[in-house]
Amino acid sequence: MNDNMIAVYETVMRRAIDLSSNGPARGLNPQVGAIALDEAGTIIAEGWHMGSGTPHAEVDALSKLSADEIRGATMVVTLEPCNHTGRTGPCVDALINARVARVVYAVTDPGHASSGGAERLREAGIEVIGGVLADEVEAHQHDWLMSARLGRPQVAVKWGASLDGRVAAEDGTSQWITGEAARELVHRQRAAADAIIVGTGTVLADNPSLTARTAGGDLHETQPVPVVIGERPIPGDSLIYHHPHEPIIPGTRDIDAILGELHGRGLRSVFVEGGPTLASAFIEAGVVDRYYVYIAPTLLGGSRLAVTEVGVSSLAERVDLDFVRIEQLGPDLFIEAVPRKEA
């Protein structure tokens, strides 16, 4: 492949990334864009995946062409064409039957059942070029791809605390430890997540709405699905029942089972905001992918720590993290950290 064609495929791939954004950002399926080129490298059709049960991006693009136009064409697609039958047939079959000459894709399909499309295409005599602008597609589809690789939603745990690590004063009062700028960022983080998780204790004590709101008090355009973990009954007049999404109340306290249920519902990222007991349970389960910690320049003392037992009994068992962002927000400090990868 010469440099000119590489440049063409990269330009077209960026267009395919833009097209993919037309599809739903949340749900079981990824956002995918596809573009068909003729032998001269001219765009002759575009497509994208419009949601579960609808034609995949490649099939959408193919549907806009005649058999003669399709034959010998190049299909540029953001994700490796799928190789399994779900609510629709395998995209590789559609491409093989259409007799395209070449498929150019960015990221390999991470699904256990749906992967292997590139190999099938090569076996059918179709040229396959992978990895074109993979980094850009990885960034664009980060939540879906990581969730597919993990087999569960990505988990972010958040807490706000005093400088000495307390989330409330000894009498239980906690509003507000951190300031307005910190709260505004928290709400943007809520809006970016597919689900927000709290425990029944938080619902009973604080009666939160679990919505994502702007600084002016309006609802963000996207809202996380509220999830409440625990065994205590929740009053029918609780604010969560006025949330734009119906609350999910799993019938278990098993973290892995809960994440499996949410993954099956198409929720790819969760925001845990439920107090020390819940945060500690997720940490101990070893499923936290990201930590959002807000530190206020104040001292509270007492026993109400941000984190309790996390399965660490010795220094050798500690949970090491890497800071990826440290930012001053008004008087407060925001720290974003991720688990340290083993060398």
Side-chain angles (χ1 to χ4, degrees):
M1 185 170 60
N2 61 46
D3 291 343
N4 287 338
M5 288 312 300
I6 292 174
V8 168
Y9 294 149
E10 288 182 346
T11 298
V12 175
M13 186 66 75
R14 288 196 176 95
R15 170 63 182 163
I17 294 171
D18 289 341
L19 288 172
S20 72
S21 297
N22 291 322
R26 294 174 176 174
L28 292 170
N29 298 103
Q31 293 177 306
V32 180
I35 297 176
L37 309 176
D38 64 17
E39 293 183 6
T42 302
I43 294 175
I44 54 175
E46 299 179 334
W48 60 86
H49 184 50
M50 290 174 276
S52 183
T54 66
H56 287 191
E58 303 93 314
V59 176
D60 183 38
L62 290 173
S63 70
K64 300 166 184 175
L65 299 170
S66 68
D68 288 340
E69 289 174 316
I70 293 169
R71 191 174 298 113
T74 294
M75 183 67 71
V76 178
V77 60
T78 55
L79 186 67
E80 176 189 17
C82 68
N83 187 35
H84 82 301
T85 300
R87 296 179 66 179
T88 59
C91 292
V92 291
D93 287 354
L95 293 166
I96 292 169
N97 293 336
R99 297 173 66 183
V100 299
R102 182 180 300 104
V103 172
V104 178
Y105 71 89
V107 176
T108 300
D109 191 320
H112 175 73
S114 56
S115 61
E119 183 178 354
R120 280 276 317 282
L121 292 168
R122 290 189 180 100
E123 290 172 351
I126 295 172
E127 182 184 0
V128 178
I129 301 168
V132 175
L133 295 190
D135 289 347
E136 294 186 25
V137 174
E138 284 276 355
H140 185 264
Q141 283 293 287
H142 180 265
D143 284 353
W144 188 90
L145 289 166
M146 289 303 298
S147 178
R149 290 164 184 153
L150 292 167
R152 60 164 175 80
Q154 289 189 97
V155 176
V157 169
K158 169 263 173 183
W159 65 78
S162 61
L163 187 61
D164 56 349
R166 270 64 178 181
V167 294
E170 195 63 21
D171 66 357
T173 55
S174 62
Q175 289 187 328
W176 299 98
I177 293 176
T178 55
E180 189 174 317
R183 294 195 295 275
E184 187 175 343
L185 178 55
V186 167
H187 280 273
R188 293 202 302 270
Q189 290 166 339
R190 285 185 180 186
D194 289 348
I196 180 170
I197 301 180
V198 298
T200 52
T202 295
V203 173
L204 295 173
D206 300 335
N207 192 24
S209 65
L210 300 184
T211 54
R213 299 180 298 280
T214 67
D218 299 321
L219 292 180
H220 277 281
E221 183 177 351
T222 58
Q223 292 291 322
V225 176
V227 180
V228 182
I229 300 174
E231 299 171 352
R232 286 180 285 179
I234 300 171
D237 60 353
S238 296
L239 290 177
I240 61 165
Y241 291 117
H242 297 281
H243 194 283
H245 297 294
E246 182 179 354
I248 297 173
I249 304 176
T252 177
R253 297 174 66 90
D254 183 286
I255 300 295
D256 290 333
I258 291 167
L259 292 177
E261 177 182 345
L262 299 182
H263 190 262
R265 290 173 178 258
L267 302 173
R268 301 306 183 202
S269 61
V270 301
F271 189 69
V272 179
E273 196 180 354
T277 300
L278 192 65
S280 301
F282 273 84
I283 296 169
E284 186 170 13
V287 296
V288 181
D289 304 297
R290 196 163 296 269
Y291 294 83
Y292 296 139
V293 182
Y294 295 82
I295 304 296
T298 190
L299 304 174
L300 293 176
S303 60
R304 297 179 181 271
L305 294 169
V307 175
T308 56
E309 296 300 324
V310 295
V312 174
S313 58
S314 70
L315 197 60
E317 297 173 345
R318 67 191 181 192
V319 180
D320 287 325
L321 308 175
D322 288 321
F323 294 147
V324 296
R325 178 181 172 190
I326 300 175
E327 182 179 349
Q328 185 97 26
L329 295 173
D332 306 315
L333 193 65
F334 169 62
I335 299 172
E336 180 179 350
V338 296
R340 181 170 298 167
K341 296 180 181 179
E342 295 183 7

